Amino acid sequence: MARSPEEYEREIERLQQSNQGLSALCREAHHRIKNDLQALAGFCYLQLSTCTTQEAKDVLLSTIMRMRSIALVHQLLLQGNDPSVNILQLAEGIMGMGVQLAGDEKNLSFSAEGNALLVNQKKATDFAIVINELVSNCLKHGFKNRGSGTMRLSLSEDEHRTALLEVRDNGIGLPEGFDSERDARLGLRIVTDIVKEDLGGDIRLISQNGTRVVITFPL
């Protein structure tokens, strides 16, 4: 039996109300996750004053950056009107947080430019971790014993729907004879695993007037 126009209108209204309710639940979840991660990062930041070694301080700073980077994903999802995150906007926020944590004693600059690619929450979290680890490595190792430095991130897409993400710095570069399979620290191993296993991409490290990390991945 065919439905009347009034029944169709009532069904559409019911579905719209249901959709609004689900959207509100998602926004509330993003809000709570963001606040919880920021609170945990704040507690870790308070612990910095109790660290007696630089190694312990570095571990806490890395933890703080990881939590803040993932929290930023949920913050951007809250601000947007769809379930997508702009990778460039995410990268710029993470780079800014990294420079802020590095302190005023270093004169550091950064930029993020290129295509404004949109990804879902899962991929956005992957990229948040990848970009955070690359920025952290740059700040901890690339600019070690240097008072100034520059980080540049670029993002592009070709006609085959393959994206290229490049992070470059003008720091000290990779150690001579560096082998990523043998010498990579935890952060770089995390990046490599995510790029290859989760994003189905490839990663190259180039030491030339600093360090370049080139990541390609299918969209």
Side-chain angles (χ1 to χ4, degrees), residues 45-202:
Y45 193 81
L46 292 174
Q47 290 292 315
L48 283 175
S49 61
T50 67
C51 292
T52 57
T53 66
Q54 186 60 44
E55 181 181 5
K57 184 177 180 180
D58 287 343
V59 169
L60 268 182
L61 286 172
S62 295
T63 301
I64 291 168
M65 276 294 295
R66 286 168 185 150
M67 288 190 289
R68 285 185 174 179
S69 296
I70 297 173
L72 182 57
V73 172
H74 294 278
Q75 180 178 325
L76 293 175
L77 286 166
L78 274 171
Q79 294 173 354
N81 295 319
D82 57 58
S84 300
V85 174
N86 183 327
I87 299 177
L88 276 183
Q89 189 177 9
L90 177 66
E92 191 170 25
I94 292 172
M95 294 170 84
M97 289 188 297
V99 169
Q100 184 182 39
L101 276 179
D104 296 332
E105 66 274 9
K106 287 185 179 290
N107 181 23
L108 304 176
S109 63
F110 65 93
S111 67
E113 56 189 21
N115 295 26
L117 297 182
L118 299 177
V119 296
N120 60 30
Q121 178 185 336
K122 171 62 172 67
K123 280 193 174 181
T125 302
D126 289 337
F127 281 112
I129 297 170
V130 166
I131 295 168
N132 169 69
E133 297 304 327
L134 295 179
V135 169
S136 295
N137 278 346
C138 174
L139 295 173
K140 285 190 295 185
H141 307 296
F143 298 147
K144 188 176 182 180
N145 300 323
R146 290 197 172 194
S148 62
T150 301
M151 290 184 294
R152 297 282 182 264
L153 180 144
S154 63
L155 183 63
S156 60
E157 173 190 354
D158 66 17
E159 66 275 14
H160 303 297
R161 295 284 293 163
T162 297
L164 186 149
L165 173 68
E166 180 175 325
V167 179
R168 177 199 298 259
D169 68 64
N170 64 347
I172 62 175
L174 299 171
E176 186 174 352
F178 180 86
D179 185 315
S180 59
E181 295 291 334
R182 182 191 65 222
D183 303 323
R185 296 180 176 87
L186 175 62
L188 189 54
R189 293 202 301 271
I190 290 173
V191 169
T192 301
D193 287 346
I194 291 176
V195 169
K196 292 185 176 181
E197 296 179 13
D198 295 342
L199 299 177
D202 187 49

Side-chain angles (χ1 to χ4, degrees), residues 28-38 70-71 74 121:
E28 177 64 21
H30 290 313
H31 183 73
R32 291 189 179 187
I33 293 170
K34 173 185 72 76
N35 285 351
D36 288 346
L37 287 170
Q38 289 179 337
I70 297 173
H74 294 278
Q121 178 185 336

